[in-house]
Amino acid sequence: MRTDGNDAHDASAPDTGGLRLLPFRGLRYVPERVSSLAAVTSPPYDVVVRPDGVLHLETADPYNIVRLILPHTVDPAARHRKAADTLRRWRDEGVLAADRTPALYVYEQRRGEVLQRGLIGALRLDGPVLPHEDVVPEIVADRAALMRETAANFEPLLLSYRGEGTVTGATAVIERALTRPPLLTTTTEDGFAHRLWAVSDPDEVATAAADLAGREALIADGHHRWATYQRLDTERRGCADAEGWDSGLVLLVDSARYPLQVRAIHRVLPLLPPGDALAALEGVCRVREVHGPPAAALEALAGTPGNAFLLSSGPGSFHLVDRPDPGLLARTVRTDRPEAWRRLDATVLHSVLLDEVWRVPDRPSDISYLHSADDAVEQAHQRGGTAVLLRPEREETARELAGQGVTMPRKSTSFGPKPATGLVLRDLADGTG
């Protein structure tokens, strides 16, 4: 059986009393050297649907950030070295340039009624940061190899903390920055408008630091990158080149003032034919066919009490799965976890269906994770496999479990909006303030 929860002592870094967000010299695209800022940005590496998504981004602009976060070569062993060479070449060519003064960066994302603002900085790794999901060791190893070669943080993690929701402390620093002209503005193809400001005034930096010193953060997005930061810090500790590795690039958001959006992450089982999946559920769960467009099927899923999932083999083919056998639940779900963890849809999916009923191995070739339900359904259709669509969990549930030192099954939920990759990078050689 998988170990989808960590022991309490593994769930957070040592508590030094609060968060320490350090200014750094942001590495940014020089607008005159690229077709547009929007054309060189990318979603986070784990949201890009490969390989079509990589190709789409590479053709958007020859300097798109995807060439750094998801490099590819004929020889797979050379991928990360290629990213390091590309980074160095872009800096030499003046495509990327570091800001002269270390700063924290106010970052705003807006689309319609969705508004998110926070501070980007280099967060010390020894503060109270709570993961709420398990990680895949192979992915951490890959991200570590990339960061080790490039000595850079390309993508800020999304972290949330619970402030008072008032315009004080770090929030006041953010609000005052909004009165000044931004460093950059752009609108990406997903419809989000992005703005960025630098905060380098020592008094403003000190105000933010004093506020954050009493906070703890929840990892909303970026568990694998956080685990990577920690691994590389451990490797470098005591070495002559250890400077900078004890912090990592993050976006900190006060979710009391700017509530995060929460969405599900879906599974695609490419080697499990849908007929086999449904047949194996006989006598295990209730299975009902759902007619109508995908939106109607997802609405039916959302309105189903208890544990429930939506299986699909392609557009127009949906089966609602619920009411798992209580005896099977009792036999397969771990009992050394809180009741809230035992009731999670992702817990039941992995412990009961994937492990016990379908016997799907826990490896990338057998399970893919997609943030878009439409993409999951289409991929299942193309590969002759089965898509399993899930519902999102609440931020409060993730925070409650993380506070107890318990992680949710990996990819249990997706917080957002996620910061666009490519607007501000961190090259460790440029130092921090």
Side-chain angles (χ1 to χ4, degrees):
M1 179 180 289
R2 293 178 181 83
T3 302
D4 281 327
N6 289 337
D7 293 333
H9 62 80
D10 292 330
S12 65
D15 188 350
T16 59
L19 304 170
R20 289 186 286 172
L21 191 67
L22 307 177
F24 70 103
R25 294 178 61 205
L27 184 65
R28 299 188 293 114
Y29 280 97
V30 176
E32 294 77 17
R33 296 301 313 274
V34 298
S35 58
S36 73
L37 289 176
V40 294
T41 62
S42 165
Y45 78 97
D46 58 338
V47 179
V48 177
V49 179
R50 291 174 274 187
D52 292 347
V54 172
L55 179 61
H56 170 72
L57 292 166
E58 286 182 337
T59 55
D61 187 284
Y63 299 113
N64 189 282
I65 193 71
V66 78
R67 296 180 185 274
L68 298 181
I69 64 172
L70 290 173
H72 58 87
T73 58
V74 176
D75 176 11
R79 291 185 299 115
H80 305 116
R81 171 47 48 189
K82 180 180 181 181
D85 292 342
T86 300
L87 173 62
R88 183 168 50 251
R89 185 176 73 254
W90 288 0
R91 293 203 64 165
D92 291 344
E93 294 175 354
V95 175
L96 292 169
D99 290 335
R100 293 183 177 181
T101 305
L104 300 177
Y105 294 86
V106 171
Y107 177 46
E108 177 190 88
Q109 296 160 274
R110 184 192 294 269
R111 184 177 67 187
E113 297 181 356
V114 177
L115 173 64
Q116 181 168 281
R117 292 175 179 143
L119 283 174
I120 295 177
L123 186 69
R124 283 291 302 266
L125 305 181
D126 55 0
V129 175
L130 305 177
H132 73 271
E133 289 185 0
D134 197 7
V135 297
V136 181
E138 293 83 359
I139 297 177
V140 174
D142 176 73
R143 292 296 95 185
L146 177 64
M147 289 189 202
R148 199 179 288 117
E149 285 283 357
T150 60
N153 302 155
F154 295 134
E155 306 183 78
L157 284 64
L158 175 60
L159 273 59
S160 73
Y161 68 94
R162 298 293 292 181
E164 284 72 39
T166 57
V167 186
T168 58
T171 301
V173 171
I174 291 171
E175 297 288 338
R176 285 192 287 269
L178 302 179
T179 64
R180 305 192 300 269
L183 290 177
L184 64 84
T185 62
T186 191
T187 300
T188 46
E189 64 179 9
D190 59 4
F192 271 99
H194 308 262
R195 296 197 293 174
L196 192 76
W197 294 260
V199 176
S200 57
D201 179 85
D203 291 337
E204 293 281 66
V205 172
T207 296
D211 182 18
L212 296 174
R215 312 290 185 188
E216 70 176 15
L218 175 75
I219 301 178
D221 185 69
H223 286 81
H224 290 90
R225 283 165 282 164
W226 182 257
T228 298
Y229 290 164
Q230 293 179 314
R231 173 182 293 191
L232 296 177
D233 174 40
T234 300
E235 287 180 4
R236 289 297 203 282
R237 204 169 295 163
C239 298
D241 61 348
E243 185 177 359
W245 294 94
D246 59 355
S247 58
L249 188 64
V250 307
L251 166 64
L252 268 176
V253 174
D254 177 359
S255 59
R257 183 158 182 84
Y258 299 105
L260 301 180
Q261 292 189 310
V262 188
R263 292 190 169 88
I265 301 178
H266 312 288
R267 278 69 167 155
V268 175
L269 315 176
L271 304 181
L272 179 65
D276 293 351
L278 292 171
L281 293 175
E282 186 175 350
V284 172
C285 300
R286 182 174 68 167
V287 180
R288 294 171 289 163
E289 188 172 4
V290 180
H291 299 284
L298 288 169
E299 186 175 344
L301 173 64
T304 302
N307 296 119
F309 314 94
L310 197 63
L311 270 57
S312 177
S313 59
S317 172
F318 298 98
H319 287 83
L320 185 62
V321 176
D322 68 342
R323 297 185 184 178
D325 176 67
L328 184 60
L329 289 174
R331 191 169 66 252
T332 56
V333 177
R334 295 177 60 163
T335 58
D336 61 344
R337 291 290 180 265
E339 184 63 23
W341 183 89
R342 292 170 55 82
R343 292 197 306 263
L344 294 171
D345 284 344
T347 295
V348 174
L349 172 61
H350 283 269
S351 298
V352 181
L353 299 186
L354 292 174
D355 281 354
E356 184 72 16
V357 177
W358 292 328
R359 305 280 181 173
V360 175
D362 183 18
R363 55 194 182 211
S365 60
D366 291 82
I367 306 176
S368 299
Y369 298 89
L370 284 84
H371 292 72
S372 164
D374 290 340
D375 289 342
V377 170
E378 181 59 32
Q379 189 174 113
H381 177 66
Q382 290 179 356
R383 303 184 68 175
T386 301
V388 184
L389 308 185
L390 286 84
R391 302 171 294 195
E393 299 290 348
R394 299 179 306 120
E395 179 185 353
E396 291 77 10
T397 301
R399 192 176 296 277
E400 173 193 343
L401 289 171
Q404 299 176 58
V406 177
T407 54
M408 299 163 70
R410 65 182 63 108
K411 303 294 184 182
S412 291
T413 197
S414 173
F415 291 97
K418 304 178 191 304
T421 299
L423 295 181
V424 59
L425 290 60
R426 178 184 178 229
D427 189 328
L428 273 64
D430 293 325
T432 55

